């Protein structure tokens, strides 16, 4: 089992409980209350740790190797998923998956970054870092959804667009830029959820939803805390300060009016209970779709453009404050 | 954002009668050293040649004021968007407070942020011109840059004037975190509207154009045009080198490289820019006016 430093006390207690439960002692009178006591202690501990998470701890949770990824959620909350491959230009990028599916009886196009779980699959998925081909595949699928008047769900979970030689050669910047422009103009609903890491343009490249949500333990920022530290502090050592300064947590983004809401995760994080996490996610998607499918195509497009046009913070010296 | 310097040389030159000077951003002294060759050149010679070294074709960095003089007829234009001024929404602090950094930059450069927008005539055609300034926090895009570029796009669309954006930027501005990221979304969404309104947009990429600026408005021109030898890319060369663990090919991420790989329409030396862009717009003009 994988666990983070700050999860360690919880994991140790849980181990103890398992050990005690597995002891073949017939004297239940002694053991049961002890196990009960430990179980309560675990709940208390979890509550206290998870109600005071630092920005950096949220980043760590968002990267937890046991965390559910796009395909996990798709299989939990959707049916009839038909994965569609390739950008029709160059390749099929494995770091972005997508396809049509049924969600509570409604046809949807679902697209998301995909990470791998073990060494082999991590490499296969390029650690969730798409090449331009991934963004072009995503756009192709979105256009297909628009053609058939089907809403789009996108799930963001990437440490960034891949900074490789071929990625530059094939136009990483152009691919992302084009996605931003074309997504803005789509006439079907788009619901976007940050399910893990929302690293910069690599995340935004499939993230221009009419409504955007973040799972509770995720991050979304213009740069990773590590890279920010290396550029602004000239060393990698200030990642915790950088995480704090970047205000990259879900509550921060809600306050900055960049997202529309936060999706609750089970206590201890989504990785501790896939079903509970998936259920919360499903609830939000369903609520958003209900609202968005009522809107006319032009309205969806215009509202999306207006949403992003209003973002940012500046002083308007023409306005009297 | 990345902080890389690139020196490249190329070979094209032509005298132009447009004189551009901006003492603040230029090296001091009568003799100026050309970084790519190590040779020295007389300051006046550079000034008369749009800060392009006549011998090697090296393009010295110039700012928005110089580009305005270069492109607008008689250097006449109306400036837009100066009512949009930066603030520090996150109370960001690294080794220095962002609020202090802004103030220092403003004092040092005389600019209020990293882009200026003007509207005026180029060869007698109405245009909207937005030009970035690398001197201002690496030409990084924060809320003000996004909002002013957005204003330029809206103005072009509403008044049916062609849009030219000259980019020079290290990318998004970290000190505004996700708000600066969203400026990519804003500028691209507005360019979508401009695109649908069929108003021409020329993107001029100068040295350097990287990160979030390349991955939004700079790559979205109907025409993407590079200055010779400019560094243009998404990720910075150092990051790529670290990622792939080997040296990068010569000329990687230069204008010439992008042209070769299909991402630029053409490369134009600075001293020919005005004529070339005007000629292009004139051709378009004849098309779209007639079809209306």
């Amino acid at each position: 089992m994988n666990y983070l430093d700050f999860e360690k006390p919880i994991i140790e207690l849980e181990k103890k409980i398992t050990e005690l439960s597995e002891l073949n002692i017939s004297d239940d009178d002694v053991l049961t209350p002890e196990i009960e006591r430990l179980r309560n202690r675990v709940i208390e501990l979890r509550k206290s740790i998870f109600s005071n998470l630092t920005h950096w701890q949220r980043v760590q949770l968002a990267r937890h190797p046991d965390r559910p990824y796009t395909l996990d959620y798709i299989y939990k909350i959707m049916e009839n998923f038909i994965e569609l491959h390739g950008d029709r230009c160059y390749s099929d990028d494995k770091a972005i998956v997508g396809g049509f599916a049924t969600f509570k009886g409604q046809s949807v196009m679902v697209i998301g970054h995909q990470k791998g779980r073990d060494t082999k699959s991590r490499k296969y998925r390029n650690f969730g870092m798409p090449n331009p081909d991934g963004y072009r595949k995503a756009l192709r699928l979105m256009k297909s959804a628009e053609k058939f008047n089907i809403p789009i769900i996108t799930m963001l979970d990437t440490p960034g667009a891949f900074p490789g030689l071929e990625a530059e050669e094939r136009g990483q910047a152009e691919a992302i830029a084009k996605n931003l422009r074309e997504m803005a103009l789509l006439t079907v609903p788009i619901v976007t959820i940050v399910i893990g890491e929302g690293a910069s343009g690599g995340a935004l490249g499939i993230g221009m939803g009419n409504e955007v949500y973040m799972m509770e333990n995720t991050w979304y920022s213009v740069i990773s805390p590590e890279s920010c530290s290396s550029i602004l502090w000239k060393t990698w050592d200030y990642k915790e300060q950088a995480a704090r300064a970047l205000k990259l947590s879900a509550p921060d983004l809600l306050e900055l009016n960049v997202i529309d809401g936060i999706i609750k995760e089970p206590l201890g994080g989504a990785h501790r209970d896939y079903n509970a996490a998936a259920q919360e996610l499903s609830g939000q998607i369903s609520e958003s779709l209900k609202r968005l499918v009522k809107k006319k195509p032009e309205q969806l497009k215009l509202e999306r453009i207006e949403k992003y046009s209003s973002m940012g913070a500046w002083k308007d010296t023409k306005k009297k404050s | 954002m990345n902080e890389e310097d690139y020196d490249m040389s190329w070979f094209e030159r032509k005298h132009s009668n447009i004189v551009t000077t901006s003492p603040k951003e230029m090296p001091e002294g009568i003799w100026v050293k050309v970084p790519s060759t190590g040779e020295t050149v007389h300051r006046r010679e550079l000034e008369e040649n749009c800060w392009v070294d006549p011998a090697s074709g090296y393009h010295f960095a110039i700012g928005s004021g110089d580009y305005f003089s270069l492109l607008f007829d008689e250097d006449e234009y109306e400036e837009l968007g100066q009512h949009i001024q930066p603030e520090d929404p996150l109370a960001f602090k690294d080794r220095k407070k962002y609020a202090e950094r802004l103030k220092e930059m403003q004092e040092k450069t005389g600019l209020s942020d990293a882009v200026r927008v003007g509207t005026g005539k180029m060869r007698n055609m109405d245009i909207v011109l937005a030009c970035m300034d690398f001197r201002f926090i690496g030409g990084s895009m924060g809320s003000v840059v996004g909002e002013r570029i957005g204003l330029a796009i809206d103005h072009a669309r509403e008044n049916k004037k062609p849009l030219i954006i000259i980019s020079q930027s290290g990318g998004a501005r970290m000190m505004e975190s996700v708000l600066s990221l969203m400026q990519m979304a804003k500028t691209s969404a507005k360019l979508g509207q401009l695109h649908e309104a069929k108003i021409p947009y020329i993107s001029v990429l100068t040295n350097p154009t990287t990160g979030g600026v390349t991955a939004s408005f700079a790559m979205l021109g109907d025409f993407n045009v590079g200055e010779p030898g400019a560094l243009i890319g998404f990720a910075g060369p150092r990051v790529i080198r670290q990622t792939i663990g080997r040296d990068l090919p010569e000329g990687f991420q230069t204008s010439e490289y992008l042209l070769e790989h299909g991402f630029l329409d053409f490369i134009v030396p600075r001293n020919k820019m005005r004529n070339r862009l005007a000629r292009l717009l004139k051709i378009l003009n004849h098309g779209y006016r007639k079809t209306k």
Side-chain angles (χ1 to χ4, degrees):
Chain A
M1 181 178 207
N2 298 293
Y3 58 86
L4 305 166
D5 279 354
F6 63 90
E7 288 181 301
K8 206 172 168 186
I10 301 171
I11 304 295
E12 276 174 357
L13 270 181
E14 282 182 332
K15 255 192 211 153
K16 216 178 211 172
I17 294 172
T18 317
E19 277 168 23
L20 284 179
S21 319
E22 280 168 358
L23 283 178
N24 275 324
I25 299 174
S26 52
D27 192 357
D28 279 355
D29 292 350
V30 185
L31 264 186
T32 314
E34 176 62 8
I35 289 175
E36 199 54 32
R37 197 186 64 79
L38 286 176
R39 284 213 172 106
N40 285 333
R41 177 84 194 103
V42 166
I43 295 171
E44 288 306 311
L45 198 59
R46 225 183 239 153
K47 271 188 192 154
S48 83
I49 291 173
F50 279 82
S51 59
N52 289 304
L53 289 173
T54 66
H55 283 84
W56 177 245
Q57 285 172 331
R58 295 231 197 239
V59 173
Q60 289 178 293
L61 280 171
R63 293 172 180 167
H64 201 294
D66 294 334
R67 220 180 143 76
Y69 298 143
T70 295
L71 285 173
D72 297 311
Y73 284 123
I74 291 176
Y75 289 123
K76 288 265 179 222
I77 66 176
M78 290 176 190
E79 286 161 354
N80 302 320
F81 177 57
I82 301 173
E83 187 174 352
L84 302 169
H85 295 274
D87 65 349
R88 299 293 188 272
C89 292
Y90 185 80
S91 79
D92 179 47
D93 195 314
K94 309 294 191 292
I96 289 184
V97 294
F100 285 116
T102 316
F103 175 74
K104 298 191 176 172
Q106 157 89 60
S107 298
V108 294
M109 165 57 72
V110 55
I111 298 167
H113 300 101
Q114 182 64 36
K115 291 177 175 174
R117 195 82 51 203
D118 52 30
T119 312
K120 205 176 143 196
S121 67
R122 276 190 199 120
K123 214 178 147 205
Y124 178 74
R125 299 291 179 187
N126 200 28
F127 304 89
M129 294 185 285
N131 276 288
D133 329 325
Y135 295 103
R136 291 181 182 131
K137 167 167 77 175
L139 183 59
R140 183 178 76 81
L141 299 187
M142 289 189 251
K143 293 270 193 186
S144 183
E146 185 184 45
K147 178 174 177 181
F148 301 112
N149 204 19
I150 290 171
I152 298 164
I153 318 283
T154 68
M155 300 190 195
L156 315 190
D157 187 13
T158 180
F162 188 58
L165 193 145
E166 289 83 11
E168 293 290 321
E169 211 169 67
R170 296 203 294 275
Q172 188 73 285
E174 191 271 348
I176 291 172
K178 192 166 185 188
N179 276 24
L180 301 182
R181 187 183 75 187
E182 296 302 312
M183 281 187 90
L185 300 177
L186 288 174
T187 51
V188 290
I190 308 174
V191 180
T192 296
I193 308 102
V194 184
I195 59 166
E197 297 189 84
S200 200
L204 182 64
I206 59 166
M208 290 198 38
N210 288 82
E211 295 187 8
V212 181
Y213 297 89
M214 283 171 83
M215 303 283 292
E216 201 177 338
N217 298 308
T218 62
W219 66 274
Y220 197 4
S221 158
V222 73
I223 191 167
S224 74
E226 288 92 338
S227 303
C228 180
S229 163
S230 90
I231 295 174
L232 291 181
W233 279 270
K234 314 278 178 209
T235 143
W236 297 91
D237 302 338
Y238 288 81
K239 53 184 193 262
E240 292 172 45
Q241 283 92 328
R244 200 163 52 230
L246 285 168
K247 297 210 161 61
L248 44 61
S249 74
D252 293 322
L253 269 80
L254 189 62
E255 205 183 304
L256 292 167
N257 290 322
V258 172
I259 59 167
D260 298 281
I262 300 170
I263 299 172
K264 254 183 84 66
E265 290 185 23
L267 188 60
H271 59 287
R272 300 307 303 259
D273 189 345
Y274 278 29
N275 286 328
Q279 207 178 346
E280 292 287 341
L281 177 67
S282 168
Q284 184 56 62
I285 293 175
S286 153
E287 190 196 308
S288 296
L289 282 183
K290 215 173 277 169
R291 201 166 26 236
L292 292 173
V293 292
K294 284 187 204 136
K295 298 186 178 182
K296 294 208 171 78
E298 278 305 305
Q299 186 188 1
L300 285 165
K301 178 171 121 183
L302 203 65
E303 282 181 5
R304 198 180 306 113
I305 293 170
E306 274 168 7
K307 178 190 181 81
Y308 292 97
S309 294
S310 70
M311 286 185 189
W314 61 90
K315 274 184 289 204
D316 186 340
T317 55
K318 267 188 197 163
K319 257 190 211 154
K320 279 177 196 154
S321 53
Chain B
M1 249 169 85
N2 51 71
E3 314 152 294
E4 318 248 355
D5 289 321
Y6 247 53
D7 301 334
M8 285 290 149
S9 47
W10 50 87
F11 309 91
E12 194 161 7
R13 68 188 130 151
K14 184 88 191 178
H15 273 278
S16 154
N17 54 4
I18 297 150
V19 179
T20 63
T21 52
S22 178
K24 264 190 207 127
E25 63 196 274
M26 291 308 158
E28 304 278 334
I30 297 170
W31 292 97
V32 180
K33 197 173 170 184
V34 182
S36 57
T37 60
E39 302 285 317
T40 49
V41 56
H42 199 281
R43 189 185 179 87
R44 206 184 55 220
E45 219 178 332
L46 284 176
E47 286 172 356
E48 284 171 358
N49 200 37
C50 314
W51 284 89
V52 177
D53 174 27
S56 68
Y58 178 83
H59 281 51
F60 284 84
I62 60 172
S64 55
D66 304 297
Y67 280 109
F68 280 11
S69 316
L70 183 70
L71 296 182
F72 283 123
D73 295 347
E74 318 294 335
D75 200 5
E76 274 176 22
Y77 55 90
E78 180 200 341
E79 184 151 2
L80 305 173
Q82 280 299 322
H83 62 286
I84 301 160
Q85 292 289 325
E87 56 181 28
D88 177 15
L90 308 185
F92 192 95
K93 185 172 172 271
D94 48 273
R95 290 175 305 169
K96 203 187 273 181
K97 282 184 182 160
Y98 177 44
E100 280 168 26
R101 214 184 268 266
L102 279 172
K103 217 173 133 210
E104 274 175 31
M105 275 290 155
Q106 288 173 338
E107 278 162 16
K108 195 173 146 200
T109 62
L111 300 161
S112 56
D113 209 308
V115 75
R116 286 172 65 211
V117 178
T119 178
K121 289 191 186 293
M122 180 176 76
R123 297 244 144 173
N124 255 332
M125 283 178 292
D126 284 320
I127 59 160
V128 180
L129 174 61
C131 183
M132 303 189 76
D133 276 283
F134 191 76
R135 290 174 297 155
F136 198 96
I137 319 188
S140 56
M141 169 160 66
S143 299
V144 169
V145 171
E147 188 63 14
R148 285 188 190 164
I149 295 270
L151 181 92
I153 299 168
D154 287 345
H155 186 85
R157 184 169 53 85
E158 284 156 13
N159 298 284
K160 295 191 166 36
K161 294 176 189 172
L163 172 70
I164 300 172
I165 302 178
I166 300 176
S167 297
Q168 44 181 235
S169 172
R173 190 172 295 170
M174 275 174 285
M175 302 82 165
E176 294 185 27
S177 192
V178 77
L179 293 178
S180 66
L181 181 67
M182 291 304 144
Q183 305 311 309
M184 293 170 66
K186 173 190 293 181
T187 53
S188 304
K190 283 180 184 282
L191 282 174
Q193 290 182 302
L194 190 76
H195 183 64
E196 287 192 331
K198 298 189 173 164
I199 307 293
Y201 162 40
I202 303 175
S203 169
V204 180
L205 297 91
T206 74
N207 188 45
T209 302
T210 60
V213 166
T214 321
S216 60
F217 59 85
M219 269 292 153
L220 290 175
D222 294 303
F223 313 96
N224 294 335
V225 177
E227 273 193 349
L231 168 74
I232 303 167
F234 177 65
R238 187 171 22 201
V239 176
I240 299 169
R241 208 158 30 227
Q242 277 168 4
T243 308
I244 65 173
R246 60 191 153 98
D247 282 339
L248 301 172
E250 212 180 310
F252 180 62
Q253 293 185 312
T254 55
S255 299
E256 293 73 11
Y257 176 92
L258 267 86
L259 182 73
E260 195 55 38
H261 285 90
F263 292 98
L264 294 182
D265 288 277
F266 56 86
I267 294 173
V268 65
R270 192 181 291 154
N271 43 17
K272 289 183 175 169
M273 188 188 292
R274 179 167 177 260
N275 285 349
R276 192 79 62 88
L277 300 189
R279 206 194 319 159
L280 177 58
L281 288 180
K282 217 155 247 167
I283 290 170
L284 299 178
N285 230 343
H286 282 287
Y288 76 78
R289 287 264 163 84
K290 270 187 188 157
T291 52
K292 249 179 211 167

